[in-house]
Protein backbone atom coordinates (compact mmCIF):
# COMPACT_ATOMS: atom_id res chain seq x y z
CA UNK A 1 0.00 0.00 0.00
CA UNK A 2 1.23 3.45 -0.82
CA UNK A 3 0.76 6.06 1.86
CA UNK A 4 0.57 9.63 0.72
CA UNK A 5 1.47 12.16 3.35
CA UNK A 6 0.21 15.67 2.59
CA UNK A 7 3.14 18.06 2.31
CA UNK A 8 3.19 21.28 4.26
CA UNK A 9 3.25 24.50 2.26
CA UNK A 10 6.83 25.51 1.45
CA UNK A 11 8.23 28.02 3.90
CA UNK A 12 10.01 31.02 2.42
CA UNK A 13 12.24 33.43 4.29
CA UNK A 14 12.69 36.93 2.88
CA UNK A 15 15.87 38.70 3.98
CA UNK A 16 15.42 42.34 3.01
CA UNK A 17 16.00 45.53 4.99
CA UNK A 18 13.61 47.70 3.00
CA UNK A 19 10.22 47.08 4.64
CA UNK A 20 8.23 48.22 1.59
CA UNK A 21 9.92 45.64 -0.66
CA UNK A 22 9.80 42.89 1.98
CA UNK A 23 6.08 43.46 2.50
CA UNK A 24 5.22 43.44 -1.20
CA UNK A 25 7.03 40.13 -1.52
CA UNK A 26 5.41 38.74 1.59
CA UNK A 27 1.95 39.72 0.36
CA UNK A 28 2.39 38.19 -3.08
CA UNK A 29 3.99 34.97 -1.88
CA UNK A 30 1.43 34.47 0.91
CA UNK A 31 -1.31 34.87 -1.70
CA UNK A 32 0.21 31.88 -3.52
CA UNK A 33 -0.15 29.81 -0.36
CA UNK A 34 3.46 29.94 0.82
CA UNK A 35 4.27 30.40 4.47
CA UNK A 36 6.41 33.56 4.54
CA UNK A 37 8.74 35.08 7.11
CA UNK A 38 10.84 38.27 7.00
CA UNK A 39 14.26 39.07 8.46
CA UNK A 40 15.54 42.65 8.14
CA UNK A 41 19.20 41.95 8.90
CA UNK A 42 21.73 39.47 7.53
CA UNK A 43 23.04 38.35 10.92
CA UNK A 44 19.64 37.67 12.48
CA UNK A 45 18.63 35.91 9.25
CA UNK A 46 21.62 33.56 9.55
CA UNK A 47 20.59 32.66 13.08
CA UNK A 48 16.95 32.12 12.08
CA UNK A 49 17.91 29.96 9.08
CA UNK A 50 20.25 27.78 11.15
CA UNK A 51 17.62 27.27 13.82
CA UNK A 52 14.73 26.54 11.51
CA UNK A 53 15.79 26.03 7.89
CA UNK A 54 13.16 27.28 5.43
CA UNK A 55 12.48 25.68 2.03
CA UNK A 56 13.70 28.72 0.12
CA UNK A 57 15.46 31.97 0.94
CA UNK A 58 15.15 35.29 -0.89
CA UNK A 59 18.17 37.42 0.00
CA UNK A 60 18.82 41.05 -0.80
CA UNK A 61 22.42 41.80 -1.66
CA UNK A 62 22.78 44.94 0.47
CA UNK A 63 21.86 44.25 4.09
CA UNK A 64 22.88 45.47 7.53
CA UNK A 65 24.66 43.04 9.85
CA UNK A 66 25.88 40.70 7.12
CA UNK A 67 25.47 41.45 3.43
CA UNK A 68 23.80 39.02 1.05
CA UNK A 69 27.09 37.67 -0.26
CA UNK A 70 28.52 36.98 3.18
CA UNK A 71 25.26 35.41 4.28
CA UNK A 72 25.25 33.13 1.24
CA UNK A 73 28.85 32.18 1.83
CA UNK A 74 28.15 31.24 5.45
CA UNK A 75 25.09 29.22 4.44
CA UNK A 76 27.24 27.32 1.95
CA UNK A 77 29.41 26.10 4.82
CA UNK A 78 26.64 24.25 6.61
CA UNK A 79 25.71 20.79 5.33
CA UNK A 80 22.04 21.46 5.95
CA UNK A 81 21.86 25.16 5.01
CA UNK A 82 23.85 24.55 1.81
CA UNK A 83 20.89 22.66 0.38
CA UNK A 84 18.37 25.45 0.78
CA UNK A 85 17.52 27.04 -2.59
CA UNK A 86 18.45 30.71 -2.65
CA UNK A 87 17.19 33.57 -4.76
CA UNK A 88 19.28 36.73 -4.73
CA UNK A 89 17.87 40.24 -5.09
CA UNK A 90 20.18 42.90 -6.46
CA UNK A 91 19.74 46.62 -6.94
CA UNK A 92 21.95 46.96 -10.00
CA UNK A 93 22.38 44.64 -12.93
CA UNK A 94 26.18 45.14 -12.71
CA UNK A 95 26.10 43.26 -9.44
CA UNK A 96 24.78 40.20 -11.23
CA UNK A 97 28.18 39.60 -12.81
CA UNK A 98 29.70 39.59 -9.38
CA UNK A 99 27.22 37.09 -8.02
CA UNK A 100 27.52 34.76 -10.98
CA UNK A 101 31.31 35.14 -11.07
CA UNK A 102 31.61 34.20 -7.43
CA UNK A 103 29.55 31.06 -7.99
CA UNK A 104 28.10 31.49 -4.59
CA UNK A 105 25.47 28.90 -4.99
CA UNK A 106 22.59 31.29 -5.51
CA UNK A 107 20.04 29.38 -7.57
CA UNK A 108 18.74 32.46 -9.32
CA UNK A 109 18.81 36.23 -9.03
CA UNK A 110 16.42 39.07 -9.72
CA UNK A 111 17.35 42.69 -10.33
CA UNK A 112 15.39 45.54 -8.82
CA UNK A 113 12.96 46.95 -9.70
CA UNK A 114 11.08 43.70 -10.23
CA UNK A 115 7.44 42.79 -10.59
CA UNK A 116 6.08 40.64 -7.76
CA UNK A 117 4.68 38.32 -10.41
CA UNK A 118 8.19 37.70 -11.70
CA UNK A 119 9.41 36.84 -8.22
CA UNK A 120 6.54 34.39 -7.70
CA UNK A 121 7.36 32.65 -10.99
CA UNK A 122 11.05 32.41 -10.12
CA UNK A 123 10.25 31.06 -6.67
CA UNK A 124 8.05 28.37 -8.19
CA UNK A 125 10.74 27.41 -10.70
CA UNK A 126 13.48 27.21 -8.06
CA UNK A 127 11.30 25.12 -5.72
CA UNK A 128 10.35 22.80 -8.56
CA UNK A 129 14.02 22.27 -9.44
CA UNK A 130 14.97 21.67 -5.81
CA UNK A 131 12.21 19.15 -5.41
CA UNK A 132 13.26 17.30 -8.56
CA UNK A 133 16.73 16.82 -7.11
CA UNK A 134 15.26 15.52 -3.87
CA UNK A 135 13.01 13.05 -5.65
CA UNK A 136 15.94 11.68 -7.64
CA UNK A 137 17.82 10.98 -4.45
CA UNK A 138 14.89 9.09 -3.03
CA UNK A 139 15.03 6.38 -5.68
CA UNK A 140 18.09 4.41 -6.81
CA UNK A 141 17.66 2.30 -9.92
CA UNK A 142 19.89 -0.13 -11.79
CA UNK A 143 18.46 -2.65 -14.23
CA UNK A 144 15.26 -4.00 -12.66
CA UNK A 145 16.49 -3.09 -9.16
CA UNK A 146 14.61 -0.18 -7.66
CA UNK A 147 15.50 0.94 -4.14
CA UNK A 148 13.06 3.36 -2.53
CA UNK A 149 15.25 5.23 -0.05
CA UNK A 150 12.53 7.09 1.80
CA UNK A 151 10.33 4.01 2.10
CA UNK A 152 13.19 1.57 2.83
CA UNK A 153 11.84 -0.85 0.23
CA UNK A 154 13.33 -2.90 -2.58
CA UNK A 155 11.47 -3.69 -5.76
CA UNK A 156 12.69 -6.15 -8.38
CA UNK A 157 10.76 -5.67 -11.59
CA UNK A 158 7.82 -4.29 -9.58
CA UNK A 159 7.86 -7.12 -7.05
CA UNK A 160 8.67 -6.07 -3.50
CA UNK A 161 11.52 -8.03 -1.87
CA UNK A 162 11.86 -7.78 1.91
CA UNK A 163 15.29 -6.67 3.13
CA UNK A 164 16.81 -6.46 6.58
CA UNK A 165 18.11 -3.05 7.67
CA UNK A 166 21.69 -4.21 7.06
CA UNK A 167 20.93 -5.56 3.60
CA UNK A 168 19.22 -2.28 2.77
CA UNK A 169 22.26 -0.23 3.82
CA UNK A 170 24.56 -2.56 1.92
CA UNK A 171 22.54 -2.36 -1.29
CA UNK A 172 22.17 1.42 -0.97
CA UNK A 173 25.94 1.85 -0.78
CA UNK A 174 26.47 -0.43 -3.78
CA UNK A 175 23.92 1.48 -5.84
CA UNK A 176 25.29 4.87 -4.84
CA UNK A 177 28.81 3.80 -5.74
CA UNK A 178 28.09 1.45 -8.59
CA UNK A 179 31.00 0.25 -10.74
CA UNK A 180 33.36 1.19 -7.93
CA UNK A 181 35.02 -1.50 -5.85
CA UNK A 182 34.08 -1.49 -2.18
CA UNK A 183 36.64 -3.11 0.07
CA UNK A 184 35.48 -5.31 2.95
CA UNK A 185 36.92 -2.75 5.34
CA UNK A 186 35.06 0.17 3.84
CA UNK A 187 31.84 -1.85 3.86
CA UNK A 188 32.39 -2.73 7.50
CA UNK A 189 32.84 0.92 8.30
CA UNK A 190 29.94 2.22 6.23
CA UNK A 191 27.38 -0.53 6.75
CA UNK A 192 28.20 -1.79 10.23
CA UNK A 193 29.51 1.56 11.46
CA UNK A 194 32.73 0.37 13.13
CA UNK A 195 31.11 -2.34 15.26
CA UNK A 196 34.05 -4.17 16.75
CA UNK A 197 32.31 -7.50 17.04
CA UNK A 198 31.87 -7.76 13.30
CA UNK A 199 34.54 -9.44 11.20
CA UNK A 200 35.01 -9.44 7.48
CA UNK A 201 33.33 -12.81 7.04
CA UNK A 202 30.11 -11.07 8.06
CA UNK A 203 30.41 -8.99 4.90
CA UNK A 204 30.67 -12.13 2.77
CA UNK A 205 27.67 -13.69 4.50
CA UNK A 206 25.51 -10.64 3.91
CA UNK A 207 26.63 -10.33 0.31
CA UNK A 208 25.60 -13.95 -0.23
CA UNK A 209 22.17 -13.29 1.29
CA UNK A 210 21.74 -10.08 -0.68
CA UNK A 211 22.62 -11.89 -3.92
CA UNK A 212 20.03 -14.50 -3.05
CA UNK A 213 17.39 -11.80 -2.73
CA UNK A 214 18.40 -10.10 -5.96
CA UNK A 215 17.49 -13.23 -7.95
CA UNK A 216 18.13 -12.61 -11.66
CA UNK A 217 20.10 -9.44 -10.80
CA UNK A 218 22.39 -11.31 -8.37
CA UNK A 219 25.41 -11.35 -10.64
CA UNK A 220 25.49 -7.56 -10.70
CA UNK A 221 27.32 -7.85 -7.40
CA UNK A 222 30.74 -8.97 -8.53
CA UNK A 223 33.50 -10.35 -6.34
CA UNK A 224 36.81 -8.61 -6.83
CA UNK A 225 39.23 -11.25 -5.61
CA UNK A 226 41.39 -10.16 -2.72
CA UNK A 227 39.73 -6.74 -2.51
CA UNK A 228 36.00 -6.72 -2.06
CA UNK A 229 32.86 -6.27 -4.13
CA UNK A 230 31.43 -4.09 -6.83
CA UNK A 231 27.93 -3.58 -8.18
CA UNK A 232 27.89 -3.34 -11.94
CA UNK A 233 25.66 -0.62 -13.40
CA1 LIG B 1 18.88 46.36 0.91
Amino acid sequence: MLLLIPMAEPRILIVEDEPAIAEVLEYNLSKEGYEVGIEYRGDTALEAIRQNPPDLIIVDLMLPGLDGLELTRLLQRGARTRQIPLLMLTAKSEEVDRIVGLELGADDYITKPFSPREVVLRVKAVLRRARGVEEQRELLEVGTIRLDIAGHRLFLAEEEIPLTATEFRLLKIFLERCNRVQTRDSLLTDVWRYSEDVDSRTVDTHIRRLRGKLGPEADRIETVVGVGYRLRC
Side-chain angles (χ1 to χ4, degrees):
M1 194 181 73
L2 198 69
L3 263 179
L4 292 174
I5 299 157
M7 291 207 319
E9 286 306 331
R11 219 159 48 78
I12 299 173
L13 183 70
I14 300 165
V15 190
E16 165 64 89
D17 57 321
E18 287 164 73
I21 294 177
E23 280 156 24
V24 165
L25 287 175
E26 183 190 30
Y27 173 77
N28 283 277
L29 291 166
S30 304
K31 221 167 58 179
E32 293 293 318
Y34 297 117
E35 198 188 307
V36 188
I38 302 178
E39 286 290 335
Y40 297 97
R41 297 176 53 91
D43 47 1
T44 57
L46 180 64
E47 210 44 52
I49 293 163
R50 281 175 174 166
Q51 273 175 22
N52 189 11
D55 297 295
L56 183 139
I57 311 167
I58 299 177
V59 186
D60 185 33
L61 192 62
M62 304 300 286
L63 289 168
L66 267 179
D67 72 25
L69 292 181
E70 286 170 285
L71 175 60
T72 308
R73 203 171 288 134
L74 290 169
L75 291 174
Q76 287 294 312
R77 284 191 201 157
R80 172 68 187 88
T81 52
R82 188 187 302 142
Q83 290 164 21
I84 307 171
L86 197 138
L87 209 70
M88 186 81 85
L89 297 178
T90 73
K92 295 175 241 140
S93 52
E94 304 93 79
E95 288 170 342
V96 170
D97 293 341
R98 229 172 109 213
I99 296 166
V100 173
L102 285 168
E103 288 176 14
L104 272 171
D107 293 85
D108 204 351
Y109 53 84
I110 298 172
T111 50
K112 294 175 180 177
F114 50 76
S115 76
R117 181 84 207 125
E118 186 191 356
V119 176
V120 168
L121 289 176
R122 299 283 190 94
V123 162
K124 283 186 177 168
V126 170
L127 282 174
R128 210 165 33 232
R129 269 204 306 271
R131 218 165 254 171
V133 171
E134 234 167 68
E135 273 162 19
Q136 277 169 26
R137 279 196 207 116
E138 280 174 11
L139 200 67
L140 294 170
E141 284 177 283
V142 169
T144 59
I145 303 171
R146 209 151 55 88
L147 194 66
D148 168 6
I149 305 301
H152 261 243
R153 299 162 90 186
L154 166 68
F155 296 89
L156 263 190
E158 306 306 318
E159 188 197 344
E160 183 166 2
I161 310 289
L163 287 185
T164 64
T166 304
E167 289 161 352
F168 176 86
R169 283 205 297 275
L170 193 56
L171 183 56
K172 179 168 177 273
I173 282 171
F174 275 129
L175 290 169
E176 283 170 344
R177 308 173 189 167
C178 68
N179 285 342
R180 277 181 281 166
V181 179
Q182 305 303 311
T183 63
R184 284 184 180 77
D185 276 350
S186 77
L187 289 170
L188 278 174
T189 306
D190 297 341
V191 178
W192 282 269
R193 318 233 163 96
Y194 295 102
S195 287
E196 280 166 16
D197 53 345
V198 173
D199 72 43
S200 63
R201 275 167 306 179
T202 306
V203 177
D204 302 331
T205 308
H206 278 83
I207 296 278
R208 203 157 49 237
R209 278 197 214 136
L210 186 57
R211 277 179 175 148
K213 292 193 175 177
L214 290 177
E217 297 278 12
D219 55 5
R220 277 191 190 273
I221 300 182
E222 301 169 336
T223 304
V224 182
V225 179
V227 186
Y229 297 95
R230 162 178 59 207
L231 185 134
R232 191 169 35 82
C233 61

